[in-house]
């Protein structure tokens, strides 16, 4: 149940795809709901984000335990360096996104709940309907900026990640993508 050069464990493959697809959907919904002010999506976005954070945490723990997968082939030093940078950016951003989102919501007075299960109560302002009393407005503001910056960095890293996967598959023909799909390579 450990990763090797020829095959990744089912845990590594499952966590990669669960986290990857979930983050892509959360970023897309996040952009949509903020650009078009679709407030009804916020509780769903937050709930799914907190649930996905459990998988993100498991993925980080698993990756620390397993180490980075061994490259499927030999690459130029700049390719190896770019790969490490992209993978570290993705791992860090997948942790920073939900943590900053939870801090933004919780410390901004909006509370935290998972599909109605209240984890931290909202603090509505009795003097202004629809407004909240922040628990710590400045930190909530920093968390908001961090959430946006991490999202943009993640988008760029994602494009590089997909480009690299396609390069490995179509140009290098080294089996990297097949391995990430759970197949054994030689």
């Amino acid at each position: 149940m450990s990763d090797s050069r020829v095959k990744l464990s089912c845990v590594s493959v499952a966590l990669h795809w669960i986290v990857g697809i979930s983050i892509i959907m959360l970023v897309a919904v996040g952009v949509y709901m903020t650009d078009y002010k679709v407030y009804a999506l916020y509780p769903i976005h937050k709930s799914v984000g907190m649930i996905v954070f459990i998988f993100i945490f498991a993925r980080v723990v698993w990756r620390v335990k397993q180490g980075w997968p061994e490259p499927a082939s030999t690459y130029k030093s700049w390719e190896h360096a770019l790969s490490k940078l992209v993978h570290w950016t993705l791992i860090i951003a997948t942790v920073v996104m939900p943590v900053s989102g939870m801090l933004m919501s919780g410390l901004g007075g909006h509370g935290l709940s998972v599909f109605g299960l209240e984890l931290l109560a909202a603090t509505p302002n009795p003097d202004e309907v629809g407004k909240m009393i922040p628990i710590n407005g400045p930190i909530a503001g920093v968390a908001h900026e961090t959430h946006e910056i991490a999202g943009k960095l993640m988008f760029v890293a994602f494009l590089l990640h997909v480009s690299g996967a396609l390069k490995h598959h179509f140009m290098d023909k080294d089996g990297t993508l097949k391995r990430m799909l759970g197949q054994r390579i030689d």
Side-chain angles (χ1 to χ4, degrees), residues 99-133:
V99 169
S100 62
M102 288 183 276
L103 288 172
M104 174 176 50
S105 183
L107 295 178
H110 297 278
L112 296 172
S113 66
V114 177
F115 295 111
L117 175 64
E118 190 174 76
L119 305 175
L120 176 67
T123 53
N125 187 334
D127 299 328
E128 294 183 68
V129 175
K131 298 286 182 181
M132 300 296 156
I133 300 172

Side-chain angles (χ1 to χ4, degrees), residues 160-178:
L160 289 169
H161 185 64
V162 170
S163 297
L166 294 174
K167 177 199 173 286
H168 283 296
H169 188 71
F170 293 110
M171 294 173 68
D172 300 338
K173 299 183 187 324
D174 62 9
T176 297
L177 183 58
K178 287 181 180 179

Side-chain angles (χ1 to χ4, degrees), residues 20 24 86 89-90 153-164:
I24 291 166
V86 168
T89 300
L90 287 170
L153 281 172
M154 186 181 301
F155 181 73
V156 171
F158 167 76
L159 291 178
L160 289 169
H161 185 64
V162 170
S163 297

Side-chain angles (χ1 to χ4, degrees), residues 6 13 169 174-185:
V6 296
V13 173
H169 188 71
D174 62 9
T176 297
L177 183 58
K178 287 181 180 179
R179 187 173 68 166
M180 198 71 252
L181 293 169
Q183 297 175 17
R184 182 179 183 83
I185 63 170

